[in-house]
């Protein structure tokens, strides 16, 4: 097998193969990525319920890390709603992609406040689980000990005086605690005054405004095919809608009248003509009314969008204020605990003062601990979020890219195994021959006895399998209809963007492709008298491109050869395959047209063995031994 045939059979590079199939690969990647994204929108959102728990500093000390982890360990896993079909499989895949994220948690802040949260697909279940964690923490709080100094009854007035002084100090501490409590309650009341109800009302108003905007927008898009009854209730009182409704009603009545009269009257009847003119006028009137209604809808939609934006900003501000309410409630709880402890201390001192006044003597003063349950404050907040589907989307797109790339590579390998086999691709070798058998003599493939001549279909199959980009065709003898024309047209019909460059003197191939005599060509582009778009001619039958030699004579041969090589390389970059018809060119010029990756095809048609041998011999004497013998109009048997 010669080097030219080997180049035709040589596998295409992977990068070039992928580039040639880029539309299919990019389409598969985008389709799978989009399908994964659309499927991700079907996954229901997750809900997180967060509860902030606060208590007096002495009571909240028991909420250490070990207790928090123990409470979390007892909480059941989140609910898994029963679903069937593709949605259940997709939700399970999304959940697996976020399996490392816990669905319950608890954190302790430096001020003693504990925040617990729970996630679930259902909002009610998330709140239930969060309250379960909060109740477990509050149940584990024990009673705090309010320490009171209880002096023993004294024999002298000095003991009673000491108790009186302690009572005065306790009363002052109680007053200060109650003042702090009142101040905290005022601050909390200012934040809580109508905040929750206002936030709920703003959310409902925002939802209602969004629904109204969607109804208006949907009706405006379908106004051309809509009926007056399809209009939202909000615009049915407008003057534009009333005018459009009346115009539609009048037009429908006229249409019914035309239908009734057409059953009894001919189209040329004067009454029919009058009614049809009236119907045309009503059509124009209805169109004008519809245009006025469309303009009114645009104004109404713009106003509604501004209203939706205003309400959404109010909702955002209300949600931001909910955090400040939780902090204020925590301050109220702490102040309540301090005030309760001060009351218990004062009560213990007053009891000791009463006993001291009655008894004459008694034991030494002692410290008594008064048990009391701590005050606990809780604040609930809820958020909604959707799982991160972008890793799944990226994986689906990557799978589509890899799958389509592998399909393209395997398809090219299969085509090469079917088309570019040694038995099917013609080789350009000469060999000793034997006399043909009787069966070979009557077969439709007429081959020279001394040379193996490749039919056009096999040559084209080899070019398609190897994706060779340049083929130089040299005819032996005189060919009034060059074989290059048949080859480039069949390549174009099989999906290749091909071009034929006729550098011969007679320009027979260019004429067959529709290039006019004395048309601009390669030499004119080299001389600067024409552009690439001006010298290209499209074949009317197959849409292949043809380029003539041109009519300008370039004086300097070296300059012309160099610039012709540059022009041919430019043409080769813009087409899948370029066929250069070089009948009658000198052999030295022919060598300059052959690149390392080009194939030299010698076209033979009705020539006998002696003519073929003479032509091949001349080419070999010039150093052109790497060639393929082909018949441009011979069909494969």
């Amino acid at each position: 097998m010669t080097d030219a045939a080997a180049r035709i059979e040589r596998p295409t590079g992977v990068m070039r193969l992928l580039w040639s199939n880029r539309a299919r690969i990019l389409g598969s990647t985008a389709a799978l990525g989009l399908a994964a994204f659309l499927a991700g929108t079907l996954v229901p959102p997750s809900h997180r319920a967060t509860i902030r728990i606060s208590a007096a500093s002495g009571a909240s000390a028991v909420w250490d890390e070990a207790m928090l982890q123990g409470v979390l360990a007892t909480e059941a896993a989140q609910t898994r709603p029963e679903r069937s079909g593709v949605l259940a499989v997709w939700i399970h895949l999304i959940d697996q992609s976020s399996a490392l994220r816990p669905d319950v948690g608890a954190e302790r802040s430096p001020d003693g406040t504990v925040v617990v949260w729970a996630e679930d697909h259902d909002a009610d279940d998330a709140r239930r689980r969060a309250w379960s964690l909060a109740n477990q923490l509050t149940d584990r709080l024990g009673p705090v000990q309010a320490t009171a100094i209880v002096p023993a009854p004294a024999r002298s007035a000095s003991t009673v005086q000491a108790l009186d002084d302690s009572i005065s100090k306790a009363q002052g501490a109680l007053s200060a605690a109650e003042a702090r409590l009142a101040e905290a309650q005022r601050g909390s009341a200012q934040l809580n005054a109508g905040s929750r109800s206002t936030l709920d009302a703003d959310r409902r108003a925002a939802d209602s405004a969004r629904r109204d905007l969607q109804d208006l927008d949907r009706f405006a898009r379908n106004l051309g095919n809509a009926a007056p009854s399809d209009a939202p209730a909000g615009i049915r009182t407008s003057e534009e809608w009333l005018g459009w409704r009346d115009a539609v009603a009048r037009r429908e009545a006229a249409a019914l009248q035309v239908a009734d009269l057409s059953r009894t009257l001919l189209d040329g009847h004067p009454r029919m003509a009058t009614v049809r003119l009236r119907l045309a006028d009503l059509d124009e009137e209805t169109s004008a009314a519809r245009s006025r209604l469309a303009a009114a809808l645009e104004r109404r939609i713009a106003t509604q969008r501004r209203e939706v934006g205003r309400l959404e900003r109010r909702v955002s501000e209300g949600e931001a204020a909910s955090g400040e309410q939780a902090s204020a409630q925590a301050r109220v709880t702490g102040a309540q605990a301090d005030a309760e402890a001060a009351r218990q201390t004062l009560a213990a001192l007053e009891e000791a003062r009463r006993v001291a006044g009655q008894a004459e003597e008694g034991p030494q003063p002692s410290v008594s601990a008064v048990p009391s349950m701590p005050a606990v404050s809780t604040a609930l907040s809820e958020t909604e979020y959707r799982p991160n589907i972008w890793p799944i989307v990226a994986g689906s797109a990557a799978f589509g890219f890899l799958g389509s790339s592998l399909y393209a590579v395997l398809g090219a390998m299969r085509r090469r195994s079917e088309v570019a086999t040694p038995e099917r691709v013609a080789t350009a070798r000469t060999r000793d021959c034997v006399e043909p058998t009787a069966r070979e003599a009557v077969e439709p493939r007429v081959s020279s006895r001394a040379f193996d001549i490749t039919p056009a279909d096999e040559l084209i199959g080899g070019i398609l399998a190897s994706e060779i980009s340049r083929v130089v065709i040299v005819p032996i003898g005189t060919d009034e209809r060059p074989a290059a024309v048949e080859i480039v047209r069949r390549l174009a019909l099989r999906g290749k963007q091909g071009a034929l460059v006729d550098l011969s003197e007679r320009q027979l191939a260019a004429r067959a492709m529709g290039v006019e005599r004395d048309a601009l060509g390669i030499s004119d582009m080299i001389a600067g008298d024409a552009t690439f778009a001006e010298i290209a001619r499209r074949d009317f039958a197959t849409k292949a491109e043809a380029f003539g030699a041109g009519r300008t004579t370039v004086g300097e041969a070296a300059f012309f050869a160099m610039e012709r090589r540059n022009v041919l390389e430019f043409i080769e970059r813009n087409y899948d395959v370029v066929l250069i018809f070089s009948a009658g060119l000198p052999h030295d010029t022919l060598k300059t047209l052959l690149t390392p990756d080009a194939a030299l095809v010698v076209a033979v048609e009705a020539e006998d063995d002696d003519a073929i041998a003479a032509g091949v011999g001349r080419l070999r004497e010039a150093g052109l031994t790497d060639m393929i013998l082909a018949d441009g109009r011979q069909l494969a048997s």
Side-chain angles (χ1 to χ4, degrees):
M1 183 176 292
T2 62
D3 294 338
R7 280 196 300 274
I8 291 182
E9 294 181 2
R10 183 176 57 201
T12 309
V14 175
M15 295 304 296
R16 185 171 181 179
L17 181 62
L18 295 180
W19 176 253
S20 63
N21 293 272
R22 60 187 180 275
R24 179 186 302 150
I25 294 174
L26 294 178
S28 301
T29 303
L32 285 182
L34 180 61
F37 175 77
L38 295 178
T41 58
L42 301 177
V43 178
S46 296
H47 300 268
R48 170 179 284 197
T50 304
I51 298 179
R52 183 182 298 272
I53 311 172
S54 59
S57 58
S60 62
V62 299
W63 292 334
D64 54 6
E65 188 66 24
M67 176 182 287
L68 296 180
Q69 294 301 324
V71 171
L72 294 179
T74 60
E75 181 62 22
Q78 61 177 323
T79 59
R80 304 291 180 183
E82 293 295 333
R83 292 184 175 90
S84 60
V86 179
L87 182 58
V89 176
W90 184 251
I91 293 176
H92 177 70
L93 180 61
I94 294 295
D95 288 344
Q96 292 298 321
S97 66
S98 59
L100 298 179
R101 187 185 67 249
D103 55 358
V104 292
E107 297 177 356
R108 178 183 172 88
S109 58
D111 60 353
T113 303
V114 175
V115 176
V116 296
W117 53 268
E119 294 181 355
D120 207 289
H121 293 294
D122 186 75
D124 295 334
D125 291 334
R127 285 193 296 270
R128 178 186 55 77
R129 298 176 67 204
W131 279 116
S132 175
L133 292 174
N135 292 334
Q136 292 184 54
L137 289 178
T138 55
D139 291 343
R140 299 192 182 192
L141 288 178
V144 298
Q145 304 296 326
T147 303
I149 301 176
V150 183
R155 301 179 188 175
S156 61
S158 59
T159 302
V160 176
Q161 183 63 35
L163 287 174
D164 291 338
D165 294 340
S166 298
I167 290 173
S168 298
K169 292 179 182 179
Q171 289 175 345
L174 177 60
S175 299
E178 289 177 345
R180 289 195 300 272
L181 175 59
E183 182 180 358
Q185 288 175 342
R186 283 194 300 272
S188 177
Q190 291 176 357
L191 291 174
N192 293 333
S195 60
R196 184 64 183 180
S197 59
T198 302
L199 180 59
D200 293 340
D202 290 341
R203 286 175 176 169
R204 290 192 296 270
D207 293 338
S208 177
R210 279 192 290 267
R211 287 193 297 270
D212 293 342
L213 178 60
Q214 292 173 357
D215 294 340
L216 288 172
D217 190 50
R218 186 183 307 108
F219 179 68
R221 289 196 305 269
N222 301 326
L223 182 58
N225 300 323
S229 59
D230 298 334
I235 66 168
R236 293 191 179 185
T237 57
S238 63
E239 180 180 352
E240 292 82 0
W241 180 83
L242 293 174
W244 176 61
R245 182 198 62 184
D246 296 340
V248 170
R250 290 192 296 271
R251 196 268 175 199
E252 291 177 351
L256 290 175
Q257 186 179 4
V258 169
D260 292 338
L261 291 177
S262 63
R263 298 189 185 98
T264 58
L265 300 179
L266 297 176
D267 288 340
H269 194 275
R271 188 176 179 185
M272 283 294 297
T274 303
V275 174
R276 290 188 184 278
L277 289 175
R278 174 58 179 164
L279 181 60
D281 294 339
L282 289 176
D283 286 337
E284 295 179 358
E285 182 181 346
T286 304
S287 177
R290 185 183 298 109
S291 300
R292 290 192 297 271
L293 179 59
L297 284 174
E298 290 180 359
R299 294 192 297 271
R300 180 70 65 88
I301 289 173
T303 304
Q304 192 67 19
R305 283 201 179 99
R306 290 193 295 270
E307 179 65 16
V308 169
R310 184 185 66 82
L311 292 174
E312 288 179 347
R313 287 193 298 272
R314 288 190 58 180
V315 170
S316 299
E317 293 172 357
E319 291 176 347
S322 62
E324 298 179 1
Q325 295 174 5
S327 299
Q329 186 63 32
R331 290 193 296 270
V332 170
T333 302
Q336 287 175 345
D338 293 341
E340 183 64 24
R343 290 192 190 94
Q344 293 174 0
T345 301
L346 179 59
L349 290 174
E350 288 177 346
E351 179 64 21
R353 173 66 177 81
R354 185 184 62 79
V355 173
Q358 295 176 355
E360 294 182 354
E361 61 182 15
Q364 294 294 326
S366 62
V367 178
S368 63
V370 180
S372 63
M373 294 303 296
V376 179
S377 173
T378 57
L380 172 66
S381 61
E382 299 179 14
T383 56
E384 177 182 307
Y385 69 95
R386 292 185 177 274
N388 186 14
I389 64 173
W390 293 113
I392 305 298
V393 173
S396 300
F399 178 77
F401 175 80
L402 295 177
S404 56
S405 300
L406 182 61
Y407 177 80
V409 173
L410 294 178
M413 294 174 61
R414 185 175 66 252
R415 287 194 300 271
R416 281 197 293 271
S417 65
E418 294 176 354
V419 177
T421 58
E423 291 78 7
R424 295 179 62 86
V425 178
T427 61
R429 62 184 183 275
T430 61
R431 61 186 180 182
D432 296 335
C433 65
V434 297
E435 290 295 330
T437 64
R439 178 180 178 182
E440 293 172 345
V442 299
E443 285 182 347
R445 174 175 175 174
V446 181
S447 177
S448 171
R449 292 179 299 172
F451 300 93
D452 186 7
I453 301 176
T454 303
D457 285 346
E458 292 187 5
L459 177 64
I460 293 171
I463 294 174
L464 291 173
S466 64
E467 295 192 0
I468 192 169
S469 60
R470 179 182 292 196
V471 179
V472 179
I473 299 179
V474 179
I476 293 179
T478 302
D479 185 9
E480 296 299 329
R481 183 174 178 82
V485 176
E486 300 294 333
I487 296 174
V488 73
R489 284 179 171 174
R490 295 189 185 187
L491 286 172
L493 292 175
R494 295 180 66 171
K496 280 290 186 181
Q497 188 177 6
L500 173 65
V501 180
D502 189 353
L503 299 180
S504 64
E505 181 178 359
R506 298 179 64 188
Q507 294 289 290
L508 295 177
R511 300 291 181 274
M513 294 287 289
V515 179
E516 299 85 357
R517 186 179 300 275
D518 296 332
L520 297 174
I522 300 295
S523 62
D524 301 291
M525 184 175 178
I526 294 174
D529 297 334
T531 63
F532 176 77
E534 292 173 343
I535 68 174
R537 295 292 184 274
R538 174 164 292 184
D539 182 36
F540 69 93
T542 61
K543 307 304 180 183
E545 300 284 350
F547 299 86
R551 59 194 183 191
T552 302
T553 302
V554 180
E556 187 176 352
F559 172 78
F560 179 72
M562 179 183 65
E563 291 299 324
R564 180 174 56 193
R565 183 169 58 252
N566 295 335
V567 171
L568 292 177
E569 290 178 354
F570 177 78
I571 296 175
E572 186 176 354
R573 288 195 298 269
N574 286 273
Y575 296 91
D576 295 333
V577 59
V578 176
L579 275 67
I580 303 176
F581 185 66
S582 56
L585 291 183
H587 292 160
D588 293 338
T589 303
L590 192 61
K591 291 180 180 179
T592 63
L593 301 178
L594 292 171
T595 61
D597 294 329
L600 175 61
V601 176
V602 179
V604 298
E605 304 231 358
E607 288 76 10
D608 55 12
D609 292 346
D610 294 337
I612 295 175
V616 171
R618 289 192 298 270
L619 291 174
R620 287 184 173 178
E621 290 176 358
L624 300 172
T625 60
D626 185 8
M627 68 186 74
I628 300 173
L629 299 181
D631 187 346
R633 288 177 292 184
Q634 182 184 30
L635 299 177
S637 58

